[in-house]
Amino acid sequence: MDSTMDALTRQAYATPAVRANLVNSGMISLYCDYSGSEQHVHAVACTFVFNRSLRVQAKRLEYDYALGSDYGELQAVHFSLEWLARALTEEQLRPKPKSAVVFTDCHAIERLLTKAYFADARYAVVRDDIHAILERLGTLRPDMEIRIKHMHRHKTNNALHRMAHNAARNCIGK
């Protein structure tokens, strides 16, 4: 673990509201973020937190031009839900989590997930993919509540979100 991650981990444990998600053995917390550049390079990342452990992954996105940060944030939520689906099917998470929350800093996430029409159909494709993953997870784990939540004030000084933010930025070379 590099020194920045080490410092952010210490900060996460030192912040009561954030520490609560780190030590919660009944809930998986996924902090996702998107980063883009003027050179049309884009990436998403997620910090996966469960039962005192955390992991960070990032992925570069491949598309030709900027579709806006809302599109990128939808991609970040999708990336996080894919990771959650893999973890729930491939890993033996102990104790068995009762819930999962995907935290995003996208203030429009609820509107984007329920919007009926988009001017660019690619938004609808990602939204529909998110709903399909949620439906599949609901079938796989009907006893588990899965939510996507805007972070509001929870973002301020949130080291777990900062880890995802830094990973996305590093992935695009910023």
Side-chain angles (χ1 to χ4, degrees):
M1 188 179 292
D2 69 25
S3 61
T4 303
M5 286 289 287
D6 215 19
L8 287 170
T9 301
R10 283 193 304 277
Q11 181 186 348
Y13 274 105
T15 308
V18 178
R19 181 179 56 242
N21 288 347
L22 267 166
V23 301
N24 190 335
S25 62
M27 182 175 85
I28 297 172
S29 297
L30 300 109
Y31 292 86
C32 64
D33 202 22
Y34 156 80
S35 188
S37 73
E38 292 79 33
Q39 292 78 31
H40 303 295
V41 180
H42 314 276
V44 292
C46 178
T47 305
F48 186 102
V49 181
F50 178 64
N51 198 20
R52 298 182 188 274
S53 69
L54 60 96
R55 295 174 280 169
V56 180
Q57 284 186 1
K59 173 178 125 178
R60 200 169 185 157
L61 299 176
E62 302 298 329
Y63 55 88
D64 294 336
Y65 64 93
L67 288 168
S69 62
D70 283 348
Y71 182 77
E73 295 294 347
L74 278 172
Q75 290 282 357
V77 169
H78 183 265
F79 177 70
S80 300
L81 288 171
E82 284 180 326
W83 191 0
L84 176 62
R86 282 192 310 275
L88 291 175
T89 56
E90 298 170 5
E91 300 177 28
Q92 293 297 319
L93 299 175
R94 296 284 183 248
K96 211 171 190 180
K98 295 176 179 69
S99 66
V101 179
V102 177
F103 291 102
T104 176
D105 62 353
C106 178
H107 67 280
I109 194 64
E110 289 179 25
R111 180 181 54 81
L112 291 169
L113 292 174
T114 58
K115 192 171 181 177
Y117 172 79
F118 293 97
D120 190 309
R122 290 176 281 190
Y123 278 81
V125 169
V126 177
R127 181 215 46 218
D128 293 347
D129 288 347
I130 289 170
H131 286 294
I133 293 172
L134 289 169
E135 189 174 310
R136 190 172 78 236
L137 289 172
T139 301
L140 175 70
R141 291 286 313 275
D143 58 322
M144 185 174 172
E145 177 188 17
I146 301 169
R147 295 179 295 145
I148 300 168
K149 185 174 179 181
H150 176 236
M151 292 171 53
H152 300 286
R153 283 174 253 131
H154 187 56
K155 178 182 174 182
T156 306
N157 297 320
N158 188 316
L160 301 173
H161 180 261
R162 176 56 64 180
M163 288 175 188
H165 175 81
N166 290 351
R169 292 183 66 80
N170 289 340
C171 194
I172 64 170
K174 275 192 171 177

